[in-house]
Amino acid sequence: MKPVMDTLDIVVADVAASVAFYRCLGLEFQVDPNYAEHAGCDLPNGLHLMLDEEKPRWPAPVGTAARVARRSSWRSGSTAPLMSTPRTPS
């Protein structure tokens, strides 16, 4: 059996703002009445496009942002950090 991609889930910071943006592009999302952080849209080609809001469930470990920034700048070839490392008061 040949695999078929029929669903694409995009993680967004704000579902309501994303739904408004995609509405301007002509897509009509249905927001889940039981879970406002999720919306879905059926496209004409059979693809189901979903939006899910990312909600942090716990604080990220110290230094996580710096590791992500270093990894991202390494991939882009840049030596400049993408974000500063949070500092704790001494």
Side-chain angles (χ1 to χ4, degrees), residues 24-66:
C24 291
L25 298 177
L27 300 178
E28 286 299 321
F29 279 86
Q30 300 297 316
V31 177
D32 187 332
N34 298 317
Y35 187 67
E37 291 84 14
H38 174 81
C41 174
D42 290 319
L43 302 177
N45 63 358
L47 183 67
H48 182 69
L49 183 58
M50 299 186 304
L51 301 174
D52 282 295
E53 193 166 305
E54 175 64 19
K55 294 285 188 186
R57 290 174 179 78
W58 57 83
V62 174
T64 300

Side-chain angles (χ1 to χ4, degrees), residues 3 10 15-16 32 35 45-47 59 62 67 73 75-76 80-81 86-87 90:
I10 302 173
V15 167
D32 187 332
Y35 187 67
N45 63 358
L47 183 67
V62 174
R67 282 194 304 277
S73 63
R75 286 184 185 142
S76 69
R87 300 183 191 253
S90 348

